[in-house]
Amino acid sequence: MDEYMSAPRVWGLMCPGSREEVTRARRWTRDILSNHPCADDAELIVSELGSNALTHTASGSSYGTFQLTLSLSPRTVAISVTDEGGHPEEVSPTEADADDTHGRGLTIVMALARRLDITGGQYGRTVTAQLVAPEQAGVTTC
């Protein structure tokens, strides 16, 4: 059976469209990535992308969902959140004013991630953030 197994491991979680699911997704991410140097950044990214899916797309409706996928290899963590669409405009970071309480999520994700990909359109988008752990021994942050 090992000949069919690849080095990266992939996990998926389907989340109903409620705010409590973001908390569950964070906890699930923390459990999977326990002791990984990217765990803290990954948890924050899951929170931001999950919240964005609920706030800005049909995923936040009463019957909405969003899909979270984690792909883990020895140094790389890829976090993907797929929403249900319903928003025709392209996803992009915004410039939030100093007093704003929203509008910084994607900018934070871009600052933490080595790479950010956004695919799809108004019928559903997938936002994927890639984190890469440092090569040096003893370093505990991404």
Side-chain angles (χ1 to χ4, degrees):
M1 183 67 150
D2 287 339
E3 70 268 16
Y4 298 111
M5 302 291 283
S6 61
R9 301 291 184 239
V10 178
W11 291 266
L13 180 67
M14 182 68 75
C15 298
S18 67
R19 295 282 166 204
E20 296 82 24
E21 290 301 309
V22 174
T23 302
R24 183 172 74 103
R26 285 178 65 125
R27 189 172 48 247
W28 180 80
T29 300
R30 170 64 62 190
D31 289 346
I32 290 171
L33 298 178
S34 63
N35 300 321
H36 193 282
C38 294
D40 291 337
D41 290 347
E43 186 178 355
L44 179 56
I45 289 171
V46 164
S47 181
E48 293 297 338
L49 296 182
S51 294
N52 283 352
L54 295 177
T55 302
H56 302 293
T57 74
S59 293
S61 67
S62 56
Y63 294 103
T65 63
F66 67 92
Q67 172 74 36
L68 170 60
T69 305
L70 294 178
S71 177
L72 177 65
S73 64
R75 286 192 53 232
T76 304
V77 177
I79 302 138
S80 297
V81 173
T82 302
D83 64 48
E84 292 191 354
H87 198 279
E89 298 168 15
E90 286 192 33
V91 177
S92 62
T94 59
E95 287 282 328
D97 290 333
D99 297 338
D100 289 346
T101 58
H102 298 285
R104 293 177 183 83
L106 204 51
T107 303
I108 291 169
V109 172
M110 290 173 59
L112 295 173
R114 166 80 55 94
R115 180 180 175 147
L116 184 71
D117 293 315
I118 302 170
T119 58
Q122 84 177 59
Y123 300 108
R125 285 189 180 85
T126 299
V127 180
T128 301
Q130 182 185 55
L131 298 169
V132 179
E135 290 184 55
Q136 303 142 334
V139 176
T140 59
T141 60
C142 282

